[in-house]
Amino acid sequence: MSEAHLLEPLVRRWSRRLPLSADDRSAILALPATKKSFGRDAYMVREGARTTECNLLLRGFAYRQKLLSDGERQIISIHIPTEFIDLQNGILGTADHNVQSLNHSEVAAVPRSALMELADKSASARLAMWIDTLIDASIFREWVVNVGRRDARARIAHLLCELALRLERTGAGRDGSFDLPLTQEQLADATGLTAVHTNRTLQSLRREGLIQLSNGILRVLDWEGLRKVGDFDELYLHQKI
Amino acid sequence: MSEAHLLEPLVRRWSRRLPLSADDRSAILALPATKKSFGRDAYMVREGARTTECNLLLRGFAYRQKLLSDGERQIISIHIPTEFIDLQNGILGTADHNVQSLNHSEVAAVPRSALMELADKSASARLAMWIDTLIDASIFREWVVNVGRRDARARIAHLLCELALRLERTGAGRDGSFDLPLTQEQLADATGLTAVHTNRTLQSLRREGLIQLSNGILRVLDWEGLRKVGDFDELYLHQKI
DNA sequence: CGTTAATTTGAGACCATTCAATTTCGGTGG
DNA sequence: CCACCGAAATTGAATGGTCTCAAATTAACG
């Protein structure tokens, strides 16, 4: 397994968004990349750490989080394969939040310097990176709305809509069924709720035949219904470019 | 008042972060910019609109918001002079949220195309722009934490800490006293609370001698106390680079 | 299979909301 | 300069969504 192939998924994702020349492609694939594995809940990036490399998620899930001084945790975003989990750190230099592996995951670690050189050299790659960070930001904005103004049912429904759609776009899952190994506690930390209330809310969504969620598998039974409960509008994902 | 001078504050802010060559400076100042005024609550950017220009805030305040289908509003960020209020739109092409003027404000509107040309031409300018959008994103992340996991007192204290610090860094205000024409309803929409509860919470912060907030003027009486209540750590503002 | 993690259930408490009414403030015209 | 007006701020009381704490059940895993 040559290193170049590690970044193939990145090339594929970026080229769906904008035209990449042959030079662009080979420059991206020529980036030095090291495969790394992380176990469940392992820290991939630590708040306050200086950046030396950026990680592209190849397999598994990752989530960004911050810890409050009283130990409470807020999950800020959840990431799926082909996404960078810390691209912004490459530019800002210091991580302002933690990133953890959700389940067993694998990343391609690219030295920050090489990535920055690519950005200087290739206008397309640079734009693709910038867009990646901007879509991240757009998702953060929607999450502010989600935890700020929606009730428990809507928060969870919205989050599941987002994840289902993003997973679908990368070809993961089929028939509205996706691998989603989130514990209810993690789901609670992502929606600003407690695990107990998350449990009751999930039950209510299940009772109404909107979803099925067990054994780390999400099945959306009634997409329109879930979308409505979650007040979900996919514009913010910027995936139809 | 020549148009070039409109962007002087931008040059000043960016050059505090990274070195700008004489060429960079003149290229920035040569950008075509039109001064525009907005009245209180006027829409500056509308969700779903295609982008034709980016707005640099010169005077007054602006805030980003999204509306839920039931009419509720969540404010996503608050902007102060010398900041771009919609830089990300120039790249993504479609606005995914609204921006409104908080009080009477003035902006320098720069055509999207000219800004993108500058980004292609000047490595420093595009890095500065990218950093701007990344710091925005970092603030969004902190807001997710704020509305997701903090109680009412902490949310408001944290928001006031952030605004005070950002205002101070731009030279606005003195002796811990700042112009901050936020209504309690806007403060509520920014923290995911109701106006009524925001009122009671502000009273509790006042009662304890932490702040004074009236007539659109915020005075921080006990910075350490407020910081503690708000669980505030400024790392996420990335202003010490 | 035994052991720990994750999910589920119950009941009571509390923080924040809702609704409604009152007071204060800022601006305006007589 | 005062009377007036609408907006903003403030107060009260009742309601409710979510939390807390604790225990029981089920699932995951070596």
Side-chain angles (χ1 to χ4, degrees):
Chain A
M1 189 66 60
S2 89
E3 289 200 344
H5 292 159
L6 280 187
L7 300 178
E8 190 66 54
L10 180 64
V11 172
R12 226 176 306 126
R13 182 165 63 77
W14 280 356
S15 60
R16 227 179 302 144
R17 201 143 61 204
L18 43 77
L20 294 177
S21 68
D23 277 359
D24 291 329
R25 286 165 192 268
S26 53
I28 296 168
L29 292 174
L31 284 169
T34 317
K35 192 191 254 191
K36 292 189 181 175
S37 292
F38 293 92
R40 196 165 186 287
D41 286 329
Y43 271 75
M44 307 163 96
V45 176
R46 276 192 192 270
E47 185 173 348
R50 301 293 301 180
T51 311
T52 57
E53 45 191 27
C54 293
N55 298 289
L56 182 76
L57 195 55
L58 299 174
R59 258 158 55 133
F61 294 78
Y63 61 94
R64 310 184 188 214
Q65 52 95 331
K66 283 194 177 190
L67 298 172
L68 301 201
S69 57
D70 65 359
E72 288 220 86
R73 177 176 73 166
Q74 176 67 42
I75 291 179
I76 294 161
S77 66
I78 295 171
H79 290 278
I80 66 180
T82 78
E83 295 178 347
F84 273 106
I85 59 174
D86 57 353
L87 193 48
Q88 79 290 332
N89 295 332
I91 311 291
L92 290 175
T94 304
D96 51 57
H97 59 279
N98 303 297
V99 185
Q100 281 183 277
S101 183
L102 185 63
N103 48 356
H104 179 79
S105 70
E106 283 173 356
V107 303
V110 182
R112 163 202 161 116
S113 54
L115 210 56
M116 291 305 96
E117 279 165 28
L118 175 66
D120 282 334
K121 206 167 42 185
S122 160
S124 300
R126 163 207 313 159
L127 185 58
M129 285 186 218
W130 197 353
I131 290 176
D132 273 357
T133 61
L134 289 175
I135 292 178
D136 275 355
S138 177
I139 294 176
F140 299 148
R141 285 192 287 271
E142 186 64 34
W143 280 45
V144 172
V145 177
N146 204 39
V147 295
R149 279 282 179 249
R150 296 198 180 102
D151 65 17
R153 273 166 58 84
R155 285 188 212 185
I156 289 178
H158 191 280
L159 176 58
L160 295 180
C161 282
E162 177 186 313
L163 290 172
L165 205 54
R166 284 167 56 203
L167 284 167
E168 191 178 83
R169 295 283 160 83
T170 63
R174 69 177 96 177
D175 305 337
S177 183
F178 312 89
D179 265 23
L180 192 66
L182 275 173
T183 67
Q184 292 182 3
E185 188 172 358
Q186 291 165 334
L187 203 46
D189 283 341
T191 49
L193 302 167
T194 57
V196 170
H197 197 61
T198 296
N199 179 283
R200 295 194 232 264
T201 306
L202 281 174
Q203 287 179 50
S204 119
L205 293 177
R206 277 195 282 248
R207 205 178 308 121
E208 295 179 25
L210 298 172
I211 60 164
Q212 217 175 294
L213 179 59
S214 57
N215 308 330
I217 294 178
L218 167 68
R219 191 182 302 273
V220 178
L221 302 174
D222 177 359
W223 175 257
E224 251 323 296
L226 191 64
R227 208 191 54 70
K228 206 165 173 183
V229 169
D231 190 35
F232 182 78
D233 175 354
E234 65 173 295
L235 172 69
Y236 76 98
L237 291 174
H238 292 279
Q239 295 196 347
K240 292 179 172 169
I241 299 184
Chain B
M1 190 64 62
S2 90
E3 288 199 345
H5 293 159
L6 280 186
L7 301 178
E8 190 65 56
L10 179 64
V11 173
R12 228 176 302 129
R13 182 165 63 77
W14 279 355
S15 60
R16 227 180 299 146
R17 202 144 60 205
L18 43 76
L20 293 178
S21 69
D23 277 358
D24 291 329
R25 287 165 192 268
S26 52
I28 296 167
L29 292 176
L31 285 169
T34 317
K35 192 191 257 187
K36 290 189 181 178
S37 293
F38 292 92
R40 196 165 187 285
D41 286 329
Y43 271 75
M44 305 164 95
V45 176
R46 276 192 191 272
E47 186 173 349
R50 302 293 300 180
T51 310
T52 58
E53 46 191 27
C54 293
N55 298 290
L56 182 75
L57 194 54
L58 300 175
R59 259 159 54 136
F61 294 77
Y63 61 95
R64 309 186 189 213
Q65 52 95 331
K66 283 193 178 191
L67 298 173
L68 301 202
S69 57
D70 65 359
E72 289 219 87
R73 177 177 72 168
Q74 176 67 42
I75 291 179
I76 294 161
S77 66
I78 295 171
H79 291 279
I80 66 180
T82 77
E83 296 179 346
F84 274 104
I85 58 174
D86 57 353
L87 194 47
Q88 80 290 335
N89 295 332
I91 312 293
L92 291 175
T94 304
D96 52 56
H97 59 279
N98 303 296
V99 185
Q100 281 182 276
S101 183
L102 186 62
N103 48 357
H104 179 78
S105 71
E106 283 173 357
V107 303
V110 181
R112 163 202 162 118
S113 54
L115 210 55
M116 293 305 97
E117 281 165 27
L118 175 66
D120 282 333
K121 204 166 46 184
S122 160
S124 300
R126 77 166 163 262
L127 184 57
M129 284 186 220
W130 198 353
I131 290 176
D132 273 357
T133 61
L134 289 174
I135 293 179
D136 275 354
S138 177
I139 294 176
F140 299 146
R141 285 192 288 272
E142 185 64 33
W143 280 45
V144 172
V145 177
N146 204 40
V147 295
R149 277 285 179 248
R150 297 199 179 103
D151 66 14
R153 274 166 57 85
R155 286 187 211 185
I156 289 178
H158 190 281
L159 176 58
L160 295 181
C161 281
E162 176 186 311
L163 289 172
L165 206 53
R166 285 166 59 203
L167 284 167
E168 190 176 86
R169 295 283 160 82
T170 63
R174 68 176 95 179
D175 305 337
S177 181
F178 312 89
D179 266 24
L180 192 66
L182 276 174
T183 66
Q184 292 184 2
E185 188 173 357
Q186 291 166 334
L187 204 46
D189 283 342
T191 49
L193 302 167
T194 56
V196 170
H197 197 58
T198 296
N199 179 284
R200 295 193 233 263
T201 306
L202 281 174
Q203 287 179 51
S204 119
L205 294 177
R206 278 195 283 247
R207 205 178 309 120
E208 295 180 24
L210 298 173
I211 59 162
Q212 217 174 293
L213 180 59
S214 58
N215 307 331
I217 295 177
L218 167 68
R219 191 181 302 271
V220 179
L221 302 174
D222 177 358
W223 175 256
E224 250 323 298
L226 190 65
R227 207 190 55 69
K228 204 165 175 183
V229 170
D231 191 35
F232 182 79
D233 175 353
E234 65 174 295
L235 172 68
Y236 75 99
L237 291 174
H238 292 278
Q239 296 197 345
K240 290 180 173 169
I241 301 184

